[in-house]
Amino acid sequence: MSAQNSVLTQIARPYASALFDLARDAKDVAGVEKGLDGLSKMINESAEFADFLKSPVISGEQKEQVVAALLAKAKAKGLVANFVSLVAKNGRLFALTAMINQFKALAAEDRGEVHAEVTSAQPLSKAHQDSLAAALKKKIGKDVTLEQHVDADLIGGLIVKVGSQMIDSSLKTKLTAMKIAMKEVG
């Protein structure tokens, strides 16, 4: 899976970088990011659309036509519409999600923000999210945007990933460590 992600990253990086440069030149990074968020939401909410984008069976021409119709229906215009049309024309729709993620990372970096993935057993309340973001900001020294995931197997606690650092305070991990320690004693 990581090899596939590496290939997607290699494909996505130049597209995202070019789009970011164009958005910055047009002084519309926030607008482009908002448009990409809408597109990302469409992909995440529709498994069929996500499969369509990745399908090697559907021809590039068909994908271009469908994407053009979707962009028209969504009234997408400007850089986002041109970008998605170019990606479709170049046959790279399978990497669109990776391109969006790369763009968002560049935009966050430009704003001086750091991205953190938080996994918890239950969805965090707004107050908990704000508290966690404030604690991470204090530790890192930069604003932190949280991407939240829920994994009921954790039982309780959190797993926080910021860059290459991971803080695992989940009950599942603590119970596993306790189980290993008890086996060593007994």
Side-chain angles (χ1 to χ4, degrees):
M1 186 72 172
S2 66
Q4 181 182 8
N5 285 339
S6 177
V7 170
L8 287 177
T9 300
Q10 293 295 320
I11 293 168
R13 188 174 292 129
Y15 281 89
S17 182
L19 179 61
F20 180 76
D21 289 343
L22 289 170
R24 191 173 46 200
D25 290 347
K27 295 181 180 10
D28 193 26
V29 172
V32 171
E33 189 171 14
K34 185 177 178 182
L36 291 175
D37 283 342
L39 189 59
S40 185
K41 184 177 179 185
M42 284 174 44
I43 294 168
N44 291 334
E45 289 179 352
S46 172
E48 294 85 14
F49 185 50
D51 291 344
F52 166 80
L53 293 175
K54 295 175 188 173
S55 175
V57 177
I58 301 169
S59 74
E61 269 184 29
Q62 289 174 311
K63 285 182 182 180
E64 280 182 65
Q65 291 170 356
V66 170
V67 167
L70 275 172
L71 290 171
K73 185 177 180 182
K75 296 182 180 148
K77 54 187 178 226
L79 287 175
V80 174
N82 292 341
F83 174 73
V84 175
S85 295
L86 177 71
V87 170
K89 187 174 186 175
N90 290 347
R92 297 287 189 245
L93 285 172
F94 65 90
L96 185 59
T97 299
M99 292 174 194
I100 293 170
N101 292 338
Q102 286 282 320
F103 180 90
K104 289 181 71 60
L106 290 169
E109 182 181 329
D110 189 56
R111 288 189 302 268
E113 293 177 357
V114 175
H115 178 78
E117 288 185 40
V118 179
T119 306
S120 58
Q122 299 177 27
L124 297 176
S125 69
K126 177 72 172 137
H128 285 118
Q129 289 177 29
D130 292 344
S131 175
L132 179 59
L136 290 171
K137 180 178 180 174
K138 186 176 179 182
K139 180 176 175 145
I140 297 169
K142 293 184 178 182
D143 287 333
V144 178
T145 56
L146 300 178
E147 178 182 337
Q148 187 176 338
H149 305 281
V150 176
D151 180 0
D153 290 341
L154 295 182
I155 305 168
L158 299 171
I159 298 175
V160 180
K161 294 178 189 174
V162 181
S164 62
Q165 291 183 314
M166 183 169 91
I167 303 163
D168 187 344
S169 66
S170 67
L171 288 178
K172 179 180 178 183
T173 300
K174 290 178 181 178
L175 289 172
T176 302
M178 191 180 297
K179 182 178 175 182
I180 292 169
M182 290 176 77
K183 281 184 179 180
E184 290 176 2
V185 171

